[in-house]
Amino acid sequence: MDHRTGMSRRQFIASTAALGLFAATARAFAQSAPKKGGTLAIGIEGASTGDTLDPRTFNSPYWSVAAGTIFNTLVEVQGPANELKPGLAKSWEGSNGGKTWVFDLVDNATFHNSKPVTTADVIYSLQIHNAEDSRSNSRAIAAGIASMTADGFKLTVELTEGNYFFPAMLSNYPLCIIPEGTTTFDGVGSGPYKIARFSPGEVLELTRHDGYFKTDAAWVDQVVILAANDPAARASAFQSGQIHIASMLDTRTAELIKTLPGKALVTLSSSQFVGFNMRADMAPFDNADLRMAMKLAIDREDVLKRVYGGMGRIGNDTPIPPNDPLFAAGIPQNSYNPEKAAELFKKSGFTGPLQLHTSDAATVPAVDMAALFKEHAAKAGIEIEIIRDPADGYWSNVWAQAPFHATVWGARPTADMILTTAYSSASPGNDTHWANADFDAAIAAARGAPDEAKRLEIYAQAQALLSSDGGVIIPVFGDVVEGVATMVQGYVPGTQPVGNYRAAEQVWFA
Amino acid sequence: MNLPSRKQLSPMRDFIVSRGVSGAVSLLLVTFLVFVGTALLPGDTASALLGQNATPEALAALRRDLGLDQPLLLRYLGWFAHAVRGDFGTSLASGRAVSEVLLPRLGNSLLLASVAAVFLLPVAVGGGIAAAIWQDSWFDRLLGFTSMLFLAMPAFLVGYILIYVFAVRMGWFPSMSVAPFFGGAAAWINILALPVISLVIIGQAHTMKLTRTAILAVLATDYVLMAEVKGISRRRIILRHALPNALSAILSISILTVAYLIVDVVVIEMVFSYPGLGKLMVDSVSYRDLTVVQACGLLFALIFIGMNFLADFLALLVNPRQREPARGA
């Protein structure tokens, strides 16, 4: 994105924040003094008429933001560098190689039903995710807990193995705290807003929780979270002023919205990515030369320019984007080199066209990117045949199954989680079926390494392995573009939608 | 005098019985087709719910919980056995009772359709009559042109044009017709405005054309010629003689218009994100929520068949010739 011309103050702030120049404190973007009042309307995708208020079913952008408005997690994440912030836990400390964690809870938090938040509530809220019938996306996190013991407002958690990312993992939105013994999930939480009306797949109307434990938060009186699954509906509702914050706008039309009065865009350096998977366990991609040939046969700059309108960051075929503190800057960058790609392709011994499966299910960029990839690869003498599959059933019939296909991964709370879930050989989510013992050993070692410098070093090795040998092509991390009305003040962009889920408690109206 | 047979005595009852049976058969067919159609789509509720997080174990467990591991025919029969007793089961996606999910949405759809009908019918029928009175005038031609234009335009395009003009440019109405935020009944007017205008624009062409044709057909009859010969004004002929005779046709047209409205409502609800039955059905298809899709399909079919039945029944009522048993045969 060109920031030299016509840059508004908000864009300047947002873009410098994205570069990490602002240590994103809660009020870094304040343009006027906070004041109470008003109804904030947020439009976001991922709602369904089948939605419930059971945190174990939260699994969409809509529910991440709803959870960040109704509930609290122990730990919160803020800003583009994923800085950890206190939630219901004031502070925390790890010991015993990252196996033992002590959380010091705030003592003045109350639920919407006026009952105080206690350690018993926290224990219950974490345990339910590992219950027999749980389909929580955070089940693996809860399953890693060996035991929890309480002493007043101190909670001691013993893990089955050391993990220095555990506090960050607790910021995952389904791990929100509900009253102990809740079996009828009615949305009682400790968050800044309580539910006035919930109509699944339509709208959530919320009013301020007067007993909220954070004193410098929850400025607006009411919050409305609108189910707006269609990007065109979000864009027009934002243009017409019906909503103040519109999540995930189409980057191709976002530039037009920016020119409207009273509307601004915020770009989130999301670690969500669209990529192409080459199955490393079967022909033809069980050949490392062919995998590398493909990685060098895609013009990443061109993809960034033409698919993402310049709003994004170049990837190096690992799920760690350049803005992540764990990004390995020292390893070789895979970039477009048709000669070298042609040479490796020849060396691999494979001939003939390669069938690339793509689909709207893997988001629109996956379809556009496949078309560009075909052009780029043709210059290296590699023929790609695009097969466009219907969105229906793509995840169950094509993804992780076809030898060469488009994939998409949403942002995870920690780099460790995406590396483990998507690329460790034992994970059911390993969609490239790449198995590398050195890589597995490296990420296990990093998790239990107390020294941060040591962790960085091990992660660099893991990224080097994945980048040079792995089965995934990640050309670009596309920025996520959000619309934020200029009358909304105090918004802190992070890596996750709507102010890392918690814009409702951050903002006020000018 | 010939005694009419029992059958001839009650053509009304005859009509009701035969149409009732054919209606029930149609409904049964619709439920079966909707069931099979939804089941034939790739993926099921379990894979839609779990998405990319699906592991084979989680999928198997969820399928077992939802009863999706049963053969299709068995599931249909099970659904049918409950449905005839008025039990439409629970939503596969949310676990709530289908009726609890459905009824508020049905209410919203009926509200939208009936408000649209209140504006649509006078406009379209009145327009059709006016076009017949001033047949071949510039008014008739203009009306014919605009109604054909809107008839040819896809419903969603009309919706998007209205959104662009009245929501984005003018800012008069919201672009998403979701229930008003913390609002009361008055706010509903704001919400309903654009969907209702869309439905009126889309639906009027058909009704107007048919009304005009029905009246012109009566005007071509001999007794109208007679009236003309006697020097009665064209307006008087139409209002006093042609209109009452065309009434049965216009009544049928009006009721069928309402039936079509219910269909257009599906598209318009999607465009405006209006929380009605149509949007519920489309959303439920994407989650393969069979029980909800089934109930929605059944309701739509019921309304459509019911409206058709009503149209024919009323046509019979207002037309004495169709009501009486055939004489002198």
Side-chain angles (χ1 to χ4, degrees):
Chain A
M1 196 162 66
D2 189 351
H3 289 299
R4 283 166 305 181
T5 51
M7 181 163 58
S8 73
R9 179 170 179 191
R10 176 169 289 279
Q11 287 151 16
F12 167 74
I13 287 166
S15 57
T16 46
L19 293 169
L21 297 181
F22 275 67
T25 59
R27 303 288 160 247
F29 313 117
Q31 290 145 346
S32 69
K35 63 169 197 275
K36 292 206 168 187
T39 300
L40 176 76
I42 301 167
I44 186 162
E45 75 283 2
S48 147
T49 45
D51 289 339
T52 72
L53 291 164
D54 181 345
R56 293 171 295 182
T57 64
F58 293 176
N59 193 24
S60 73
Y62 186 90
W63 283 100
S64 68
V65 173
T69 309
I70 307 168
F71 301 102
N72 288 102
T73 46
L74 287 186
V75 179
E76 290 166 15
V77 169
Q78 209 173 59
N82 284 328
E83 194 187 345
L84 296 189
K85 292 271 176 184
L88 282 173
K90 277 191 291 201
S91 62
W92 49 89
E93 208 180 344
S95 58
N96 187 20
K99 266 180 111 163
T100 307
W101 289 91
V102 180
F103 294 88
D104 198 3
L105 304 193
V106 294
D107 56 7
N108 60 341
T110 56
F111 287 112
H112 300 155
N113 60 12
S114 307
K115 290 200 180 118
V117 179
T118 66
T119 41
D121 301 313
V122 175
I123 292 173
Y124 178 79
S125 303
L126 296 179
Q127 272 172 345
I128 56 167
H129 290 271
N130 198 29
E132 182 104 14
D133 58 345
S134 162
R135 58 178 173 89
S136 168
N137 74 15
S138 300
R139 188 167 183 175
I141 302 173
I145 299 174
S147 71
M148 287 185 272
T149 45
D151 172 21
F153 282 94
K154 269 198 189 346
L155 175 73
T156 306
V157 181
E158 292 286 342
L159 302 181
T160 52
E161 21 177 316
N163 189 343
Y164 277 92
F165 297 98
F166 185 66
M169 289 162 121
L170 290 181
S171 72
N172 209 18
Y173 58 89
L175 297 175
C176 51
I177 307 307
I178 56 173
E180 184 192 9
T182 302
T183 47
T184 316
F185 296 93
D186 50 6
V188 170
S190 61
Y193 293 90
K194 58 185 178 201
I195 298 176
R197 188 170 77 93
F198 171 44
S199 180
E202 190 189 333
V203 72
L204 250 171
E205 289 173 356
L206 308 117
T207 54
R208 192 192 286 114
H209 167 38
D210 289 321
Y212 191 45
F213 73 96
K214 291 188 192 172
T215 45
D216 60 341
W219 304 103
V220 299
D221 294 335
Q222 295 166 325
V223 179
V224 174
I225 307 178
L226 203 57
N229 295 349
D230 174 19
R234 284 199 298 280
S236 55
F238 180 62
Q239 281 174 274
S240 67
Q242 195 178 4
I243 55 176
H244 304 104
I245 300 176
S247 74
M248 241 190 246
L249 294 174
D250 188 336
T251 47
R252 292 171 302 185
T253 52
E255 287 291 318
L256 300 172
I257 293 175
K258 199 170 72 179
T259 61
L260 298 169
K263 313 291 174 200
L265 298 181
V266 168
T267 49
L268 311 183
S269 315
S270 172
S271 50
Q272 166 183 319
F273 64 85
V274 177
F276 296 118
N277 283 338
M278 302 175 283
R279 274 189 65 175
D281 63 332
M282 61 191 274
F285 292 110
D286 51 358
N287 181 316
D289 287 328
L290 184 59
R291 293 201 295 270
M292 189 42 106
M294 300 313 289
K295 289 175 183 177
L296 301 182
I298 187 162
D299 186 343
R300 292 155 205 260
E301 296 287 349
D302 195 40
V303 169
L304 174 61
K305 200 171 81 201
R306 288 164 70 185
V307 177
Y308 294 99
M311 298 186 198
R313 293 137 288 150
I314 298 287
N316 193 20
D317 304 324
T318 85
I320 317 292
N323 57 301
D324 192 297
L326 290 174
F327 175 73
I331 66 170
Q333 167 71 44
N334 295 335
S335 45
Y336 191 42
N337 187 340
E339 294 81 36
K340 185 89 189 331
E343 193 183 301
L344 284 169
F345 185 69
K346 209 168 154 216
K347 193 176 157 209
S348 79
F350 180 81
T351 51
L354 289 158
Q355 292 188 326
L356 173 59
H357 289 260
T358 185
S359 168
D360 283 328
T363 70
V364 175
V367 178
D368 297 347
M369 203 154 76
L372 284 185
F373 194 6
K374 183 187 161 96
E375 272 177 41
H376 300 154
K379 293 201 182 116
I382 303 171
E383 194 190 335
I384 292 178
E385 191 183 311
I386 296 172
I387 299 172
R388 190 166 171 177
D389 294 302
D392 276 329
Y394 184 80
W395 299 114
S396 41
N397 302 329
V398 179
W399 177 73
Q401 291 170 49
F404 195 20
H405 63 271
T407 188
V408 54
W409 282 95
R412 293 297 189 273
T414 69
D416 172 61
M417 277 187 77
I418 184 69
L419 287 169
T420 308
T421 314
Y423 303 104
S424 74
S425 57
S427 166
N430 179 356
D431 55 357
T432 55
H433 300 257
W434 180 66
N436 186 304
D438 292 339
F439 177 84
D440 291 349
I443 54 174
R447 226 175 281 141
D451 177 31
E452 202 177 324
K454 182 72 184 163
R455 279 206 294 273
L456 271 174
E457 189 192 314
I458 306 176
Y459 271 126
Q461 291 165 10
Q463 287 172 68
L465 284 170
L466 195 54
S467 172
S468 63
D469 187 66
V472 66
I473 304 172
I474 304 171
V476 167
F477 292 88
D479 291 340
V480 172
V481 179
E482 267 176 13
V484 181
T486 48
M487 68 193 289
V488 173
Q489 315 269 295
Y491 179 95
V492 186
T495 58
Q496 303 283 356
V498 191
N500 271 11
Y501 323 136
R502 305 196 74 86
E505 71 174 32
Q506 298 163 0
V507 304
W508 63 91
F509 287 109
Chain B
M1 193 176 122
N2 269 347
L3 267 179
S5 70
R6 257 178 68 105
K7 192 174 154 62
Q8 279 173 321
L9 249 182
S10 49
M12 285 303 259
R13 202 188 62 180
D14 203 40
F15 170 83
I16 292 172
V17 169
S18 73
R19 288 297 294 265
V21 170
S22 71
V25 171
S26 307
L27 276 182
L28 196 69
L29 268 173
V30 166
T31 62
F32 186 71
L33 288 177
V34 170
F35 197 90
V36 172
T38 314
L40 280 181
L41 291 172
D44 60 10
T45 312
S47 62
L49 280 178
L50 295 171
Q52 214 177 343
N53 295 327
T55 59
E57 298 80 39
L59 272 177
L62 193 56
R63 285 200 177 117
R64 204 168 43 245
D65 288 350
L66 297 173
L68 296 176
D69 50 348
Q70 306 273 333
L72 187 64
L73 193 66
L74 217 63
R75 278 161 55 204
Y76 177 73
L77 291 176
W79 175 84
F80 183 77
H82 283 96
V84 290
R85 279 177 274 148
D87 171 14
F88 292 99
T90 54
S91 154
L92 296 183
S94 69
R96 284 197 306 269
V98 169
S99 53
E100 187 191 320
V101 177
L102 212 67
L103 289 179
R105 297 299 192 105
L106 175 66
N108 288 348
S109 282
L110 290 181
L111 177 70
L112 176 57
S114 47
V115 173
V118 164
F119 287 94
L120 171 62
L121 289 177
V123 168
V125 173
I129 294 172
I133 292 178
W134 293 297
Q135 190 190 358
D136 295 332
S137 69
W138 64 268
F139 174 78
D140 182 28
R141 282 166 205 278
L142 183 72
L143 216 60
F145 173 77
T146 49
S147 65
M148 281 313 279
L149 183 72
F150 290 132
L151 192 66
M153 232 190 244
F156 68 87
L157 184 64
V158 173
Y160 283 130
I161 291 174
L162 289 179
I163 286 181
Y164 180 73
V165 176
F166 294 107
V168 174
R169 286 278 139 192
M170 313 275 209
W172 292 354
F173 301 108
S175 64
M176 289 179 71
S177 295
V178 289
F181 311 152
F182 299 102
W188 275 94
I189 296 170
N190 212 18
I191 298 302
L192 285 171
L194 290 184
V196 165
I197 297 172
S198 309
L199 285 171
V200 171
I201 289 178
I202 301 157
Q204 51 75 34
H206 207 70
T207 315
M208 197 180 296
K209 288 253 161 222
L210 286 174
T211 306
R212 181 179 176 274
T213 310
I215 291 188
L216 289 180
V218 176
L219 287 180
T221 54
D222 291 344
Y223 71 86
V224 170
L225 188 65
M226 183 66 186
E228 271 173 8
V229 169
K230 283 171 76 180
I232 302 173
S233 77
R234 186 170 168 85
R235 181 186 299 202
R236 192 179 148 89
I237 293 173
I238 288 180
L239 295 179
R240 292 292 298 273
H241 302 283
L243 194 57
N245 279 293
L247 206 60
S248 88
I250 292 173
L251 204 63
S252 302
I253 295 163
S254 301
I255 292 168
L256 288 180
T257 303
V258 176
Y260 284 126
L261 262 184
I262 304 282
V263 178
D264 286 333
V265 153
V266 177
V267 177
I268 290 302
E269 281 178 3
M270 286 311 290
V271 171
F272 290 97
S273 307
Y274 183 82
L277 202 58
K279 186 164 187 299
L280 176 68
M281 187 166 178
V282 175
D283 288 349
S284 301
V285 168
S286 63
Y287 272 81
R288 305 285 180 275
D289 197 340
L290 251 179
T291 44
V292 177
V293 176
Q294 271 291 71
C296 290
L298 187 70
L299 266 175
F300 276 121
L302 196 65
I303 293 170
F304 201 78
I305 292 171
M307 286 292 179
N308 272 286
F309 175 80
L310 192 67
D312 292 349
F313 182 73
L314 287 178
L316 208 62
L317 265 189
V318 296
N319 189 341
R321 273 170 302 190
Q322 288 185 38
R323 201 165 50 210
E324 294 293 315
R327 281 175 207 273

